[in-house]
Amino acid sequence: MKRTLFPNCCRIIFVILVFAAFLSACQASATPRPTVEVVGELVTVTGGSYTNVTPAELDTMLTNKDFTLVNVHTPFDGKIAQTDLFIPYDQIKQNLDKFPVDKNARIVLYCRSGHMSDIAAKSLITSGYTNIWNLAGGMVAWEQANLPIEH
């Protein structure tokens, strides 16, 4: 009995289609998370203001990081990746030499719940800094948004 090439071609086409579907599935899982427009919420305090951002907004900001990220929580209770400094909220004024010299440089603060970073933001504002950002809800909100904390 003579065999035709058609069945073999069908098999080859089938294998190619399965392989293409596999590659498509792998590529789809590697797609980055959608970015969120960073607007923030302005908080006016004595001497100036700072901007509260959501975890999604900070996550977006971290993709093209152009700021100093500071963990002000005490005691240490974990960190967000790409954190630059660890300065306790109540020791900001004693550590101004660790902050950028440019008082207009963007600085993003966070702590565990947002309370300590609020105090730190006010301290930096009274020290002349003008571009202060704060993670609203702190690491608690960050974790609730299913974003990782490094311990």
Side-chain angles (χ1 to χ4, degrees):
M1 200 175 201
K2 187 175 180 185
R3 281 182 102 170
T4 64
L5 288 178
F6 185 73
N8 285 335
C9 287
C10 287
R11 286 186 201 125
I12 291 171
I13 291 171
F14 177 75
V15 168
I16 290 172
L17 289 174
V18 168
F19 185 70
F22 175 76
L23 287 178
S24 295
C26 289
Q27 186 177 17
S29 67
T31 356
R33 290 180 288 210
T35 57
V36 173
E37 182 181 358
V38 179
V39 178
E41 177 187 340
L42 195 64
V43 178
T44 302
V45 296
T46 303
S49 62
Y50 64 90
T51 304
N52 271 340
V53 292
T54 66
E57 288 173 322
L58 178 55
D59 190 41
T60 294
M61 293 168 68
L62 286 169
T63 60
N64 295 308
K65 188 172 178 274
D66 63 349
F67 55 88
T68 303
L69 183 60
V70 186
N71 182 345
V72 299
H73 187 74
T74 186
F76 180 82
D77 196 18
K79 70 174 186 162
I80 295 171
Q82 301 186 56
T83 297
D84 299 298
L85 298 171
F86 301 93
I87 300 174
Y89 77 101
D90 57 352
Q91 296 177 22
I92 296 295
K93 297 230 181 204
Q94 299 93 310
N95 288 285
L96 289 175
D97 60 318
K98 295 183 176 123
F99 288 92
V101 174
D102 178 3
K103 301 270 183 160
N104 297 314
R106 185 177 351 190
I107 300 170
V108 179
L109 307 171
Y110 71 92
C111 63
R112 186 77 194 142
S113 67
H115 178 69
M116 291 178 186
S117 55
D118 173 66
I119 295 168
K122 292 172 184 170
S123 184
L124 284 170
I125 289 166
T126 62
S127 298
Y129 285 88
T130 61
N131 197 359
I132 306 301
W133 296 61
N134 177 50
L135 175 59
M139 289 187 290
V140 170
W142 183 263
E143 288 177 306
Q144 288 173 344
N146 294 317
L147 295 164
I149 296 288
E150 297 174 1
H151 293 281

